Amino acid sequence: MKQVLFQHGTLALLVPGLLAGTMSIGELLQHGDTGIGTGAGLDGELIILEGNAYQINGQGQVRQVPADFTVPFADVHQAAYQDVTTLAQLSQTQTYQRLEQLVKAPNTFYSVKINGSFQMMHTRAAVKSTPPYKTLVATAQQQQEFTAHNVTGTLLSYYSPQLFHGAAVAGFHSHFLAADHSMGGHVLDFVLTKGQVQVQVFDTFEQHLPIADHDFMQHDFSHDNIGADITTAE
Amino acid sequence: MKQVLFQHGTLALLVPGLLAGTMSIGELLQHGDTGIGTGAGLDGELIILEGNAYQINGQGQVRQVPADFTVPFADVHQAAYQDVTTLAQLSQTQTYQRLEQLVKAPNTFYSVKINGSFQMMHTRAAVKSTPPYKTLVATAQQQQEFTAHNVTGTLLSYYSPQLFHGAAVAGFHSHFLAADHSMGGHVLDFVLTKGQVQVQVFDTFEQHLPIADHDFMQHDFSHDNIGADITTAE
């Protein structure tokens, strides 16, 4: 069976500030029940679990977003995870190293979901900006950071191969949602107390581009520093 | 309606010589009736028209390939072209410039099909190599070149945005098949006498990766000069 990671937009379009919402959550959910993304104008961080899309906004508040909420960028897939192992007492760096060793698939896309408890969870959430949008790096500087201790929840991560840096962020890109919805966001760092690790490997990377968006279609990307700016901002 | 360009493999995998056939033509044709590609070991050039896959081999011979013929790389889509215009008396460079002005979609993928007559058509076909495969640049040096004058046929072209160089060749990538199957191949140059131009714009770029292929999955791409080598060889 085809295992598809669906992506609306490409990370590259965020770099010069093409932040308009070009797909609704309602349409996005037709491509999967699990995912991550951001709202128009980098309106917070999104995490989609079991068909429900949650936003962690720039004030750190968590809410479920309506079907007409729009996104400039999101990754979704239909969950069909395999239980892999239980990990405990690991830093973020150690966790990602162990995952790379376990999955052994550096050249394709995969998702990792860790349900567990975290001694420390450090996140950020972008703060919504309004048109005319600034660049990704400038907009990302408005982000707010949040830290929780001894929190349980779900870490949802996508691994992208180095070959695809630009379309996606190479390596792991993770969002978090606390089980009680008390915090979440784009993950900057964590210490895992103990968690159940699930993995789903994809063979297909489906990129949907916002071809009805005039600004995207006519933008000259030749002067944008795509790879380096994504590394800086993400 | 979703307009999908399906790609098996990524051009980057050809660079270090990952030339094994990892999808059959039979399976490929389930994703479209029109396309281009190459055989295992760079076994010639493929052009798929109206659901039939033709190979121009290293000796310049044209034949229809069987369903079990395998490819390391191919692009296919379901034809739904729009008639755009008639062009006449243009070099390759002039043709591509006119197409870019007509389509005005530099940041997404599209296909152009030109049925017409060509004062000159200059092609190449890769020559099949056997394992252990050499790099793309070394293998491509074995290519043979062919030139025809006053030939009628079909030029099938895919345009890829600069953002996606590496996954595909940025700009136009064209294959040709003479109406009488007397010649064809990967297009190096042409002079168009007169042709009917059809265009199909895609909003979705679906990349299928050969995750069952051990050599691909374990290859370390970090020392491969992906972008430059694709430009050299393609």
Side-chain angles (χ1 to χ4, degrees), chain A residues 2 12 104-109 163-164 201-209 211 216-219 221 226, chain B residues 2 12 104-108 163-164 201-209 211 216-219 221 226:
Chain A
K2 205 161 72 164
K104 290 191 182 66
N107 295 327
T108 195
F109 294 83
L163 284 177
F164 292 84
V201 177
F202 306 112
D203 64 0
T204 301
F205 179 49
E206 183 176 344
Q207 284 190 269
H208 176 263
L209 299 172
I211 69 169
F216 166 68
M217 288 296 272
Q218 299 309 325
H219 183 76
F221 284 94
I226 304 294
Chain B
K2 204 162 71 164
K104 292 191 181 67
N107 295 327
T108 195
L163 284 177
F164 293 85
V201 176
F202 306 113
D203 64 1
T204 301
F205 179 47
E206 183 177 343
Q207 283 190 269
H208 176 263
L209 298 171
I211 69 168
F216 166 68
M217 287 296 271
Q218 299 308 325
H219 183 76
F221 284 94
I226 305 293

Side-chain angles (χ1 to χ4, degrees), chain A residues 73-203:
Chain A
F73 179 84
D75 285 315
V76 294
H77 75 282
Q78 197 64 37
Y81 288 94
Q82 306 282 321
D83 280 325
V84 172
T85 189
T86 299
L87 293 179
Q89 302 300 338
L90 297 175
S91 70
Q92 175 179 254
T93 302
Q94 290 171 325
T95 301
Y96 290 164
Q97 284 174 349
R98 286 290 294 279
L99 291 172
E100 291 195 38
Q101 292 161 2
L102 284 164
V103 184
K104 290 191 182 66
N107 295 327
T108 195
F109 294 83
Y110 54 89
S111 177
V112 176
K113 192 161 80 166
I114 302 181
N115 284 304
S117 55
F118 298 82
Q119 189 180 318
M120 187 276 288
M121 176 58 65
H122 180 195
T123 65
R124 72 113 198 269
V127 175
K128 183 181 185 178
S129 62
T130 51
Y133 296 123
K134 295 180 181 161
T135 65
L136 177 65
V137 168
T139 308
Q141 283 170 352
Q142 305 301 315
Q143 71 187 34
Q144 296 295 311
E145 299 187 14
F146 309 99
T147 303
H149 296 279
N150 300 316
V151 60
T152 64
T154 301
L155 182 97
L156 178 63
S157 190
Y158 288 97
Y159 172 88
S160 302
Q162 184 64 43
L163 284 177
F164 292 84
H165 188 66
V169 192
F172 292 95
H173 181 180
S174 306
H175 285 195
F176 177 76
L177 183 65
D180 62 3
H181 294 190
S182 59
M183 72 94 68
H186 175 103
V187 173
L188 297 176
D189 196 14
F190 63 80
V191 178
L192 176 66
T193 308
K194 188 174 181 186
Q196 177 62 34
V197 177
Q198 298 182 301
V199 173
Q200 184 173 354
V201 177
F202 306 112
D203 64 0

Side-chain angles (χ1 to χ4, degrees), chain B residues 169-210:
Chain B
V169 193
F172 292 95
H173 181 180
S174 306
H175 285 197
F176 178 76
L177 182 65
D180 63 3
H181 295 191
S182 59
M183 74 92 69
H186 176 103
V187 173
L188 297 176
D189 196 14
F190 64 81
V191 178
L192 176 66
T193 308
K194 189 176 181 185
Q196 177 63 34
V197 177
Q198 297 182 301
V199 173
Q200 184 172 352
V201 176
F202 306 113
D203 64 1
T204 301
F205 179 47
E206 183 177 343
Q207 283 190 269
H208 176 263
L209 298 171

Side-chain angles (χ1 to χ4, degrees), chain A residues 42-64:
Chain A
L42 299 191
D43 186 9
E45 311 291 334
L46 299 177
I47 181 167
I48 300 167
L49 297 171
E50 296 175 353
N52 298 309
Y54 302 95
Q55 176 200 39
I56 299 92
N57 72 14
Q59 288 71 49
Q61 296 157 333
V62 179
R63 63 156 184 157
Q64 192 169 345

Side-chain angles (χ1 to χ4, degrees), chain A residues 221-222, chain B residues 106-107 159-166 170-171:
Chain A
F221 284 94
S222 65
Chain B
N107 295 327
Y159 172 88
S160 302
Q162 184 65 45
L163 284 177
F164 293 85
H165 188 66

